[in-house]
Amino acid sequence: MRPQDVVTTAPPAPAADRVELDQAEAALVEHYPRLVRIAYLVLPPSLGRNRRVLTAHALAQRSLPRGRTTPVADHGAGVPTSRRGQGGPGPGYAYVRGRVLRQALDAGLPLRRAAWPKRSQLPPLLPHVWGLRVFPRAGGADELALDQRLSALSGPARAAYVLRGLEQLSDPDVRQALSAAGVEDPQTALAEADATPAQYALLGSPEFDPCSLQARPTDLMRRRQHAKAALVAAAALAVCGALLGLPGDGWGPDGAAAPPYARNPAAEAALDPAQLTRVSPTAWQHSTRTDFSVWPARGALAGDSALLRRALAVWARPGSAVQVSATPGTPPGPPMGSPQLLYAGEVDQAKVVLLYDGLRVVRYAEPKEGEGGAALDFARTDGADAATSSALVAGRVDGNVRYLTAPWVRKASVRDLLEPDRAPRPLARDAHGLTASLPSPALASACASWDVLELRDGAAGRLLTDLGELTPARLTSGPPSAPKDVAGDAALASWARTACLLPGVRAAGVRSVNSWPYARQPLPEANGTAAWLCTRAETWRGRGSRIMAEFQAPGQKAAAPGAVVARAQDKPSCSVREPRVLAGVLWKSRAGQWYVLAAGSEQFASVAASGGVSGSAEGSLLAVPAKAGARAELNGRLEDGSRMDALH
């Protein structure tokens, strides 16, 4: 295990020579306006402002690595040596910036007949704006003069100027970044940039901000001619469709479903709304099972046979206009016999049908008015219990989410995990168990709050959070052998510093997330006591579990995220099968002294460090003086005499 420096704000990579996909994605989301501005400034001005804006956004959006991990050196992703370990933006951001630089420089290369053009040399397919031209807001005379001077420079020289001014890199770091981006002679580029006055403060003005835009119409006369041609083509297509006719019973009663592919009696019976399973409203009170199988059929449209027929038909044969999504490991096939109706009603601006076939919950949604495209969402729910079948996502719109709660839920409220001392807010529900809207943390671009659903079916309450899927994830706290619902000041305070790390498990088919405070460590030099946590996300499919070791230093704000010092996937650490963990971090005291810290769970009899730092200690805690940037390999000896490496 290679401990990481907690001085940086971004979660460190598990290895110094590789960048993970989620690490690069986090850097892209956090620094997106900055990366797009870099691309806009480096792109050749000959493209025109409209194409430069769209191309800058396209280059930034195409800058993620193709695999889950990639070498740091790829595309100039290495962090400049003078900024390693000094609180810089980290290798994830440096990798994305290197990709953006390389693509922006490639866009300025001349097209050659003997070679295929590079993707960045062509107009971007996405993003695309129809009927409008977009460009940044106009600046003053100084910005205009700087723009003219930059347009006279070569692409590498513009890149050198931007890296100096906007990124505040030293000349050696600029040479390193340009060389990694494919520039053959970085020194010449720096010399050319020296000829331009150092007006670096102007690079941050609205004149060069492709994220704050103005819009104007395109050529209106040409658009009118194109509209007439499109109208003639549409009329011809309508005539051809009328002549060809429609197969079978047509599309009318089945909505957006594709044409029937078979006349199998069993398959047709599964698509008959009259054959839907409808559970009694009181079945859950005397059933030996408490899961989705005892949810009653609810909703104001539960008797709308036409709506239910469309939902079943689209489930069996989703057409090309249907937006289909499925959580990882969920088969998106047709129903296995007549499914069970859970809900049918209006949710905001959509008509929603929730169905259950014993393995999956399926959500069908269509516009309340008009004939827009339908949506079909699948979520695996086999093995659900009373806790994990307490709610389903009924709809999301405008950054908010609405839940359908289980019939045994007595009370619903909203709790902001980032404010552990604040009481939960009441959440209204209608007669069918549909909640009012609440902000969805899965749709938020920043972690300013993290609202979760708190449900009570007795004295104790349970917390559920939206992670962008049909089934919310249950949050628990405690050792893997006995996780409990989050309750009490200590558990809420711990989750307040863990909540903002949940985007790392978003859209992964997560069933539950347990945060286990496995150790507390007195820090050297009387710097307080740090907490060590292991957060494990379990999935519905069993595979794909994700583990994060977290270091929470003292003296931080109540909602300040802890530092992720190790990540793993599909490993038994911090689970019932292996309820133990060891992790380490490079930490700096208030006096400026660096230490390698390590902490294991209670099963460890001793911990040792080797490699860049050497030391050992009896028990489960270790603190060894070190130098900045030091790296060590950690391992421990368990009480039964076996050895175990640190999580990585």
Side-chain angles (χ1 to χ4, degrees), residues 130-516:
W130 291 92
L132 289 174
R133 299 182 62 83
V134 293
F135 47 89
R137 299 182 179 276
D142 293 338
E143 288 86 351
L144 179 60
L146 177 60
D147 189 37
Q148 292 174 345
R149 294 189 186 101
L150 292 178
S151 65
L153 298 177
S154 64
R158 279 195 304 275
Y161 190 93
V162 171
L163 291 174
R164 274 178 172 174
L166 198 61
E167 295 294 90
Q168 300 181 1
L169 298 185
S170 63
D171 283 2
D173 292 342
V174 172
R175 281 193 294 270
Q176 178 184 347
L178 292 179
S179 177
V183 176
E184 295 181 356
D185 191 355
Q187 188 59 44
T188 300
L190 280 168
E192 185 179 353
D194 286 335
T196 303
Q199 297 175 298
Y200 297 141
L202 298 179
L203 295 177
S205 71
E207 173 77 18
F208 307 111
D209 184 8
C211 291
S212 179
L213 303 172
Q214 297 184 92
R216 294 293 184 271
T218 55
D219 190 329
L220 298 178
M221 293 301 296
R222 182 177 297 177
R223 283 170 54 186
R224 182 178 299 178
Q225 295 172 356
H226 290 173
K228 290 180 179 179
L231 184 61
V232 172
L237 183 62
V239 171
C240 292
L243 293 175
L244 291 174
L246 298 174
D249 295 332
W251 291 342
D254 292 346
Y261 58 84
R263 292 295 186 184
N264 182 277
E268 290 188 344
L271 304 182
D272 184 359
Q275 301 296 322
L276 283 172
T277 300
R278 297 171 184 258
V279 176
S280 166
T282 59
W284 63 272
Q285 298 177 3
H286 51 75
S287 173
T288 57
R289 296 178 56 178
T290 310
D291 55 17
F292 293 112
S293 66
V294 294
W295 275 36
R298 292 175 288 174
L301 300 180
D304 189 338
S305 297
L307 171 63
L308 299 178
R309 183 180 299 277
R310 290 194 298 273
L312 291 170
V314 170
W315 181 358
R317 311 185 305 274
S320 58
V322 180
Q323 297 181 1
V324 180
S325 69
T327 57
T330 304
M336 301 175 293
S338 298
Q340 175 186 342
L341 176 62
L342 303 181
Y343 178 83
E346 293 184 354
V347 181
D348 298 319
Q349 300 303 313
K351 293 181 179 180
V352 172
V353 179
L354 289 169
L355 300 164
Y356 174 65
D357 69 351
L359 171 67
R360 303 163 296 176
V361 168
V362 178
R363 176 182 179 271
Y364 168 82
E366 66 179 28
K368 190 163 58 175
E369 297 179 358
E371 297 182 356
L376 194 65
D377 303 315
F378 294 84
R380 185 169 175 173
T381 57
D382 51 317
D385 55 17
T388 52
S389 62
S390 294
L392 290 172
V393 171
R396 292 188 189 88
V397 63
D398 297 332
N400 296 319
V401 62
R402 298 182 70 181
Y403 296 96
L404 180 68
T405 57
W408 53 82
V409 171
R410 298 180 181 178
K411 181 180 178 181
S413 54
V414 183
R415 179 182 289 276
D416 185 356
L417 286 182
L418 302 191
E419 296 185 8
D421 298 330
R422 184 177 178 182
R425 312 187 303 272
L427 181 63
R429 295 186 296 159
D430 65 13
H432 304 288
L434 184 67
T435 70
S437 296
L438 65 149
S440 170
L443 303 177
S445 58
C447 191
S449 64
W450 196 281
D451 286 344
V452 296
L453 180 66
E454 183 170 340
L455 301 178
R456 292 184 179 274
D457 52 21
R462 62 177 58 99
L463 300 185
L464 303 174
T465 185
D466 182 20
L467 293 180
E469 296 174 325
L470 186 55
T471 52
R474 181 191 181 192
L475 303 182
T476 59
S477 182
S481 58
K484 297 180 180 179
D485 288 306
V486 182
D489 295 341
L492 289 171
S494 174
W495 264 108
R497 301 191 61 183
T498 304
C500 288
L501 304 178
L502 286 174
V505 297
R506 190 161 43 194
V510 173
R511 173 175 179 159
S512 62
V513 184
N514 184 57
S515 186
W516 171 33

Side-chain angles (χ1 to χ4, degrees), residues 19-27 65 68 504 546 567:
V19 172
E20 289 190 337
L21 174 61
D22 56 353
Q23 190 179 9
E25 181 185 13
R68 295 203 61 83
R546 301 187 182 185
R567 297 177 188 267

Side-chain angles (χ1 to χ4, degrees), residues 525-594:
E525 304 178 18
N527 275 208
T529 302
W532 292 84
L533 294 89
C534 186
T535 302
R536 182 181 178 91
E538 297 286 1
T539 66
W540 286 97
R541 64 191 184 278
R543 307 181 311 278
S545 59
R546 301 187 182 185
I547 307 101
M548 295 182 293
E550 181 186 351
F551 176 78
Q552 294 183 354
Q556 304 291 326
K557 294 182 179 179
V564 178
V565 298
R567 297 177 188 267
Q569 185 168 340
D570 276 330
K571 290 190 175 182
S573 301
C574 306
S575 69
V576 176
R577 179 181 171 187
E578 190 176 284
R580 49 189 176 270
V581 65
L582 172 65
V585 71
L586 185 63
W587 172 80
K588 185 179 181 180
S589 70
R590 289 192 291 265
Q593 174 62 48
W594 290 91

